[in-house]
């Protein structure tokens, strides 16, 4: 007998998928509604007495054609009476109770009907009473709607839902079979493995199979993306993982993952992959709210979304931004909500870190429980350190609070009074900055929490009733800041500090996460296996610790696949670029740049530790080098401006081009300028983060923890910027290029211990005249 495929399906998801319809309406919803709803449920459940059993888990198997459906759900309660029993489903609302009639909510009745069927069939009942209990959150009024059904009626109803869902489930099953067969026949998409690629692919596969973590430093040219995607796809085909999340920090690295899938497709792979684009970027009606009144794509969205899902699933494997927009326009639906629906069915989701890690916005539709069979591939993992600190921190500024209070003082005295109390607390806290412009405390601001909670409760009510008023957006913005502050406060422990700082005429109060390791470790439990990889995880023990790893986790350090002779690495350690010496370094640095670029016409990048330093050198360089084309990175650049900057790095330029940029910026990592598009780079300084309050707090924390405060706060992050900048030069096996490091610290033992193996053959060029000699010899040797 042929074995049936199994599909585990929650009753709620079944009902919502088959019966959903109407408008998408994302207008303001109270952040405390879920908590209030839970309390209301508990209050009602306790009021029923001994005959009431709360939270009944229900499970039932239904065989339908070639699929076995495992239906699961949980009824709010069962009331046992002498003449039978009642299945009770509780719904909380702020709508008037008179809006609810016996047939008014199809989804609510459908859900309780399925519960009634399962309970009735398992307890051999002929009839059962179903009850919808509506509880008004503001008035605490209650309305009960009851109806008696035969179990046969409920059986027919439930099976009708399953029959309709079967079409989709069968499509998914057929797709999975087709996908797995293509994976079984899939070979590595290149003729040969590069040095280290096979070892990396094997390690990733074993990591997924064993459900472990792997930390990998794989230099530029290793082919990290395909070496992690290919084994992950292979593991999926064998049932070792159910979904792959390819997580990145930047848009450009998402395109590299897409290219990896295209390479495998050329070898016969069939795999549905989705690239998630931020809501503000993909929205068709910029500035409009997600309501049927303001957005035509929201009006009737749920009436049209299922046909769109069926069509795109039938004809496309790549759910890219362009394709999602095309189908969304065709079916006139919201592209962002459409992409979230597609994420449920895609085999691989390519997205930003925050969709998995940020406690405020991660995809709860996936991560309600720990230990799902997901694989997280985390690209450019060195970026996750700062990003996670940002995600796990929260800040409030005083001036917006005072301004909001003034706006509302004649319109809503209750809210204005609470805002006044928040402002007063900020004023009192600011007084702690007596001797300095800041203070740091290990204590969290519990008194402020209580005022913010009151504000959130009061603002909930106002925001739901005053959507179109002129003060709405300002209050909404601060409302979300307050909610975020409270949510981060729930994470506060010994790895946090609270600090206050005077900034111009304002004052900020921040819950600052110093050590994100614990929260990252907890977040990775949402999946089965995790692979952290980057060209620069130096030292790897530091990254393993700070990214939530343990000593038992696997790690790999791969050598560069390129020949060392392709890179001419020079170090001028006669120049100090320390902050106090920068002004006296200008002429020496300029001479080094001039000597290097004079050896060969081509395109060069010069990286600086700060914008100010860069701007001073750039201005001086332009005065003396009118025959050289120069470009300068700006502190804020649009995507178009960045693309234009990079487009100038052409192979066919008639003049030498020098681009001036900052380490750690958009041009120091993630960009690809192979061949003659970039033949040299000059890195000025050791990349130390600028001295500031936050970095000093991190230093002090780790100094107490492991006596490596300076290394963890300054040296290691700085050296990773240097390594990333150097990595722009050699991008392909045939590339050759020159790199000049300028700073006296580079030849110290502490920094040399962080050098990759390919830097062993560096040459000292302490006197600038030697730069020309060495580089001219390098270019003549090709």
């Amino acid at each position: 007998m042929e074995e049936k495929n199994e599909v585990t399906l929650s009753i709620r998801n079944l009902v919502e998928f088959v019966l959903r319809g109407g408008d998408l309406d994302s207008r303001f919803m109270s952040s405390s509604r879920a908590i209030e709803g839970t309390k209301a449920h508990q209050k009602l459940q306790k009021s029923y007495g001994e005959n009431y059993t709360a939270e009944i888990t229900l499970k039932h198997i239904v065989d339908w054609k070639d699929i076995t459906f495992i239906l699961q759900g949980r009824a709010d309660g069962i009331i046992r009476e002498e003449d039978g029993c009642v299945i009770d489903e509780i719904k909380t609302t702020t709508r008037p109770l008179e809006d609810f009639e016996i047939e008014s909510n199809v989804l609510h009745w459908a859900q309780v009907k399925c519960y009634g069927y399962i309970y009735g069939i398992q307890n051999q009942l002929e009839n059962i009473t179903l009850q919808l209990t509506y509880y008004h959150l503001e008035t605490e009024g209650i309305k009960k709607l009851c109806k008696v059904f035969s179990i046969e009626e409920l059986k027919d109803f439930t099976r009708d839902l399953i029959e309709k869902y079967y079409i989709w489930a069968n499509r998914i099953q057929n797709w999975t079979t087709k996908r797995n067969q293509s994976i079984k026949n899939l070979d590595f998409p290149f003729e040969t493995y590069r040095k280290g690629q096979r070892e990396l692919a094997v390690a990733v596969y074993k990591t997924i199979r064993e459900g472990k973590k792997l930390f990998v430093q794989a230099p530029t040219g290793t082919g990290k993306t395909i070496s992690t995607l290919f084994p992950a796809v292979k593991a999926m085909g064998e049932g070792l993982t159910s979904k792959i999340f390819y997580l990145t920090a930047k848009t450009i690295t998402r395109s590299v993952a897409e290219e990896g899938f295209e390479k495998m497709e050329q070898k016969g792979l069939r795999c549905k992959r989705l690239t998630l684009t931020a809501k503000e970027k993909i929205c068709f009606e910029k500035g409009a709210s997600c309501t049927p009144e303001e957005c035509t794509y929201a009006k009737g969205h749920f009436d049209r979304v299922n046909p769109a899902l069926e069509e795109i699933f039938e004809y496309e494997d790549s759910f890219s931004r362009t394709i999602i927009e095309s189908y969304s326009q065709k079916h006139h639906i919201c592209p962002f909500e459409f992409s979230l629906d597609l994420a449920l069915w895609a085999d691989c989701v390519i997205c930003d870190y925050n969709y998995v890690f940020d406690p405020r916005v991660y995809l709860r539709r996936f991560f309600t429980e720990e230990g799902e069979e997901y694989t997280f591939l985390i690209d450019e993992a060195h970026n996750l350190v700062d990003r996670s600190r940002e995600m796990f921190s929260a800040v409030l500024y005083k001036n917006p609070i005072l301004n909001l209070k003034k706006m509302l003082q004649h319109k809503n005295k209750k809210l204005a009074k609470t805002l006044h109390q928040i402002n007063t607390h900020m004023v009192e806290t600011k007084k702690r900055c007596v001797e300095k412009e800041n203070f740091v405390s290990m204590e969290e601001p519990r008194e402020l929490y209580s005022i913010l909670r009151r504000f959130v409760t009061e603002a909930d009510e106002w925001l739901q009733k005053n959507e179109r008023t002129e003060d709405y957006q300002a209050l909404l913005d601060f409302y979300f800041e307050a909610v975020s502050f409270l949510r981060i406060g729930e994470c506060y422990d010994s790895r946090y500090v609270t600090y206050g700082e005077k900034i111009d005429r304002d004052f900020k109060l921040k819950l600052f996460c110093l050590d994100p390791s614990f929260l990252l470790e907890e977040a990775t439990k949402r999946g089965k296996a995790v692979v952290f990889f980057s060209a620069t995880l130096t030292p790897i023990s530091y990254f393993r610790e700070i990214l939530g790893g343990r000593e038992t986790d696997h790690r790999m350090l791969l050598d560069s696949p390129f020949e060392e002779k392709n890179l001419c690495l020079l170090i001028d350690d006669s120049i100090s670029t320390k902050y106090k010496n920068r002004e006296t370094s200008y002429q020496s640095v300029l001479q080094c740049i001039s000597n290097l670029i004079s050896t060969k016409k081509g395109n060069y990048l010069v990286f600086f530790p700060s914008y100010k330093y860069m701007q001073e050198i750039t201005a001086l360089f332009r005065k003396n080098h009118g025959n050289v084309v120069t470009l300068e990175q700006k502190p804020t650049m649009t995507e178009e401006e960045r693309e234009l900057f990079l487009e100038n790095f052409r192979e066919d330029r008639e003049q030498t081009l020098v681009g001036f940029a900052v380490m750690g910026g958009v041009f120091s990592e993630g960009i690809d300028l192979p061949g003659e598009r970039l033949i040299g780079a000059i890195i000025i300084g050791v990349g130390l983060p600028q001295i500031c309050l936050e970095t000093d707090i991190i230093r002090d924390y780790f100094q107490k923890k492991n006596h490596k405060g300076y290394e963890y706060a300054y040296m290691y992050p700085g050296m990773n910027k240097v390594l990333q900048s150097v990595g722009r030069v050699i991008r392909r096996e045939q590339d050759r290029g020159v790199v000049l490091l300028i700073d006296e610290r580079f030849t110290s033992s502490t920094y040399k211990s962080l050098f990759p193996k390919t830097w062993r053959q560096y040459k000292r060029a302490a006197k600038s005249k030697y730069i020309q000699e060495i580089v001219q010899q390098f270019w003549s040797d090709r």
Side-chain angles (χ1 to χ4, degrees), residues 5-253:
N5 294 312
E6 286 189 355
V7 173
T8 300
L9 183 62
S10 79
I11 289 169
R12 181 169 182 173
N13 287 346
L14 168 66
V15 166
E16 289 183 351
F17 186 85
V18 174
L19 298 177
R20 63 181 173 177
D23 303 331
L24 170 65
D25 195 340
S26 301
R27 71 185 78 226
F28 173 77
M29 295 293 289
S30 163
S31 70
S32 59
R33 181 71 59 81
I35 298 171
E36 293 171 354
T38 301
K39 290 179 179 177
H41 274 61
Q42 294 169 346
K43 181 179 178 180
L44 281 174
Q45 287 165 342
K46 288 179 182 178
S47 70
Y48 280 113
E50 296 179 358
N51 294 337
Y52 190 92
T53 305
E55 306 297 333
I56 301 297
T57 299
L58 299 167
K59 185 176 181 179
H60 185 59
I61 294 174
V62 177
D63 287 314
W64 193 270
K65 297 183 180 180
D66 57 340
I67 296 179
T68 296
F69 289 94
I70 303 171
L71 295 184
Q72 297 180 174
R74 188 169 61 186
D76 288 328
I78 294 178
I79 309 167
R80 292 178 176 83
E81 299 174 338
E82 290 184 8
D83 56 346
C85 67
V86 178
I87 302 288
D88 185 43
E89 183 67 13
I90 301 169
K91 301 295 181 184
T92 54
T93 183
T94 55
R95 288 172 53 190
L97 291 176
E98 54 266 26
D99 287 358
F100 297 97
E101 300 299 336
I102 201 73
E103 300 294 344
S104 63
N105 197 303
V106 174
L107 292 179
H108 292 174
W109 277 114
Q111 197 174 337
V112 75
K113 281 180 180 180
C114 292
Y115 294 154
Y117 163 64
I118 296 175
Y119 186 83
I121 206 79
Q122 291 179 349
N123 289 274
Q124 300 173 340
L125 303 177
E126 292 184 5
N127 299 288
I128 193 167
T129 301
L130 305 182
Q131 176 173 285
L132 287 176
T133 301
Y134 289 96
Y135 179 92
H136 199 280
L137 288 170
E138 294 173 6
T139 66
E140 298 187 355
I142 297 172
K143 184 171 185 176
K144 297 178 181 179
L145 303 175
C146 295
K147 201 171 180 181
V148 178
F149 293 89
S150 71
I151 301 305
E152 280 301 312
E153 276 184 274
L154 299 180
K155 177 181 178 181
D156 291 343
F157 176 82
T158 304
R159 288 183 169 254
D160 181 60
L161 289 178
I162 291 172
E163 182 178 14
K164 290 174 180 174
Y165 189 83
Y166 170 82
I167 299 170
W168 180 255
N170 189 52
R171 179 180 282 110
I172 299 298
Q173 292 292 338
N174 289 340
W175 164 253
T176 301
T177 301
K178 187 183 296 184
R179 180 201 71 192
N180 288 351
Q181 186 60 45
S182 77
I183 294 173
K184 184 178 179 181
N185 298 329
L186 180 67
D187 293 324
F188 190 68
F190 295 92
E191 290 185 11
T192 59
Y193 284 93
R194 286 182 183 173
K195 181 181 176 183
Q197 266 191 315
R198 184 185 291 275
E199 293 85 348
L200 175 54
V202 169
V204 170
Y205 177 85
K206 287 182 177 179
T207 299
I208 296 171
R209 185 184 64 194
E210 297 169 4
K212 298 286 184 66
K213 287 182 184 176
L214 173 65
F215 292 82
V216 182
Q217 177 170 283
T220 300
T222 307
K224 298 181 290 297
T225 301
I226 200 66
S227 301
T228 53
L229 277 177
F230 176 72
V233 167
K234 279 290 188 181
M236 176 182 285
E238 295 175 18
L240 299 176
T241 185
S242 62
K243 193 182 292 285
I244 301 164
F245 286 87
Y246 192 97
L247 306 174
T248 73
K250 297 176 180 175
T251 304
I252 194 166
T253 40

Side-chain angles (χ1 to χ4, degrees), residues 200 204 207 212-218 224 228 247 353 357 375-385 388 517 520-521 523-524 529-535 537 540 543-550 553-556:
L200 175 54
V204 170
T207 299
K212 298 286 184 66
K213 287 182 184 176
L214 173 65
F215 292 82
V216 182
Q217 177 170 283
K224 298 181 290 297
T228 53
L247 306 174
Y353 296 151
F357 295 112
T375 293
F376 300 142
L377 303 179
I378 303 174
D379 194 4
E380 302 290 359
H382 63 277
N383 283 312
L384 187 55
V385 178
S388 59
S517 58
L520 285 173
E521 183 179 14
T524 56
V530 191
V531 180
F532 298 88
F533 58 101
S534 170
L537 291 183
I540 201 163
F543 281 101
R544 184 175 61 182
E545 177 186 347
I546 208 78
L547 293 174
R550 303 195 173 192
D553 292 331
H554 302 311
R555 65 179 191 175
M556 289 188 75

Side-chain angles (χ1 to χ4, degrees), residues 520-663:
L520 285 173
E521 183 179 14
E522 289 299 298
T524 56
K525 290 177 182 177
R526 295 169 186 147
K528 174 187 177 181
V530 191
V531 180
F532 298 88
F533 58 101
S534 170
T536 56
L537 291 183
T538 300
I540 201 163
S541 56
Y542 156 75
F543 281 101
R544 184 175 61 182
E545 177 186 347
I546 208 78
L547 293 174
R550 303 195 173 192
E551 289 188 7
T552 53
D553 292 331
H554 302 311
R555 65 179 191 175
M556 289 188 75
L557 292 164
L558 299 177
D559 294 332
S560 172
F562 303 140
E563 294 187 39
E564 289 185 26
K565 66 179 183 179
N566 288 353
L567 176 68
C568 176
L569 179 67
L570 308 174
I571 298 178
D572 188 334
D573 58 359
S574 67
I575 301 171
S576 171
T577 68
K578 291 178 180 177
Y579 186 78
K580 63 182 179 180
N581 299 326
R582 283 183 186 171
E583 287 191 16
T584 60
S585 72
Y586 290 173
Q587 291 305 318
S588 298
V589 169
L590 283 166
Q591 191 62 53
C592 285
I593 298 172
S594 299
N595 287 338
L596 183 67
I597 68 172
S598 67
T599 59
K600 180 179 171 66
K601 185 189 76 174
N603 302 322
Y604 299 84
L605 275 170
V606 185
F607 293 104
F608 293 83
S610 73
Y611 277 102
K612 186 177 185 301
Y613 198 2
M614 178 192 73
Q615 290 160 354
E616 296 285 351
I617 295 286
T618 304
L620 292 170
F621 182 87
R622 283 172 169 163
K623 285 182 180 180
N624 301 311
H625 296 80
N627 62 327
V628 176
V629 179
T630 58
L631 298 171
E632 184 179 359
Q633 180 181 349
K634 303 300 180 184
T636 56
M637 298 178 78
T638 64
E639 282 191 30
E640 292 76 15
E641 288 172 330
R642 295 174 193 171
E643 289 173 9
L644 187 61
F645 184 99
L646 294 174
E647 284 172 6
N648 280 280
F649 286 80
R650 300 189 305 271
E651 292 188 345
D652 58 349
R653 295 199 67 90
E654 294 183 0
Q655 293 173 277
T656 288
L657 175 133
V658 179
F660 294 88
V662 292
M663 276 184 274

Side-chain angles (χ1 to χ4, degrees), residues 367-512:
F367 307 127
T368 53
E369 296 180 10
E370 289 185 0
E372 295 288 350
E373 297 290 298
Y374 303 143
T375 293
F376 300 142
L377 303 179
I378 303 174
D379 194 4
E380 302 290 359
H382 63 277
N383 283 312
L384 187 55
V385 178
D386 287 339
R387 280 289 302 276
S388 59
R389 282 197 177 109
E390 178 187 332
M391 288 187 287
F392 300 144
S393 299
V395 64
L396 293 177
Y397 287 87
K398 179 193 168 300
N399 285 355
I401 299 168
L402 179 60
N403 293 337
L404 191 57
K405 185 206 87 168
K406 291 176 180 177
M407 289 169 60
L408 293 173
Q409 60 187 354
H410 298 302
K411 301 174 183 178
N412 189 312
K413 294 188 182 300
K414 187 177 180 182
L415 265 175
K417 181 180 178 181
T418 306
L419 286 164
H420 174 74
Q421 290 173 337
I422 298 171
N423 183 65
T424 300
H425 187 279
M426 295 287 277
V427 170
E428 291 301 314
T429 307
K430 183 180 179 181
K431 291 178 181 178
R432 298 174 66 179
C433 305
V434 178
E435 298 179 3
K436 299 190 294 183
E437 294 294 294
N438 58 69
F439 74 87
V440 181
S441 171
M442 300 297 291
E443 301 296 322
E444 54 185 318
R446 295 184 182 278
E447 187 180 332
L448 178 59
Y449 291 165
S450 61
I451 311 173
L452 287 174
R453 289 190 191 98
R454 187 163 67 252
F455 164 77
V456 167
T457 301
E458 293 169 358
D460 274 345
E461 182 181 348
W462 191 91
L463 287 165
Q464 291 175 63
K465 298 176 181 177
N466 295 272
E467 185 174 350
R468 298 189 179 278
T469 62
E470 58 180 336
D471 306 323
Y472 180 85
Q473 191 59 48
L475 183 63
L476 184 65
D477 290 344
F478 180 64
Y479 172 88
F480 285 129
E481 290 172 11
V483 169
S484 174
F485 202 84
L486 290 170
R487 188 167 290 161
I488 294 301
E490 295 171 3
C491 304
Y492 200 104
D493 60 11
S494 60
R495 289 167 278 260
Y496 277 79
V497 295
T498 305
Y499 80 78
E501 185 176 21
K502 292 180 182 179
I503 300 178
D504 296 326
R505 297 184 179 182
D506 204 352
F507 171 72
K508 83 171 182 180
L509 185 67
K510 186 167 185 175
L511 305 180
F512 184 38

